[in-house]
Amino acid sequence: MATVELRFSALPEHVRTARLVAAAVARRAGVDESVLDEVRLAVGEACSRAVGLHQHGDGGGAVRVALIDQEKRFVIEVGDGAGSLSELAASGGESGEGPEVSDDALGLAVITGLVEDVEVGRDDDGGLIRMSWPVNPA
């Protein structure tokens, strides 16, 4: 199992780089060419969501992207590093108010529409979106 990890400061200009790297690694892992655009779009949405959480909160951490080449699946994990839910609520994020919440819901809807196997959860550092696609046998 090979893993490529990216960490970048939560700036919108870094999202494009994450998309390009994800597509290149997915292609090399054996993801079908017909779904590479979906991989690119889903990673872009997940990374944009993470950047948005940082910009609306006091998140000083980095956005984390792990690209994992498993035997039969290609997995991408995007962690926002924006802190715990209580920290986000204290800083005004994820409070249920304002346009950033509707943008967040829209981003998650786009991701779930693009990726059949997606999980949205949390880890020790903040939110985590885990997506996976089948790979073609070598």
Side-chain angles (χ1 to χ4, degrees), residues 61-102:
V63 176
R64 304 172 326 275
V65 182
L67 310 165
I68 307 160
D69 181 8
Q70 297 178 342
E71 187 175 330
K72 296 182 180 183
R73 305 286 301 169
F74 177 67
V75 179
I76 299 178
E77 295 178 348
V78 178
D80 59 47
S84 68
L85 286 174
S86 59
E87 290 170 357
L88 282 172
S91 67
E94 289 196 21
S95 62
E97 301 173 7
E100 63 274 358
V101 173
S102 62

Side-chain angles (χ1 to χ4, degrees), residues 18 22 32 47 57 60 64 66 71 88 96 101 112 116 118 129 132:
D32 193 80
C47 288
R64 304 172 326 275
E71 187 175 330
L88 282 172
V101 173
T112 57
E116 284 184 32
V118 62
I129 297 176
S132 74

Side-chain angles (χ1 to χ4, degrees), residues 16-41:
R16 180 176 186 268
T17 303
R19 282 195 325 250
L20 293 172
V21 171
V25 175
R27 179 178 285 120
R28 184 168 183 160
V31 173
D32 193 80
E33 287 285 327
S34 65
V35 295
L36 288 179
D37 283 338
E38 294 171 8
V39 171
R40 226 181 332 266
L41 288 169

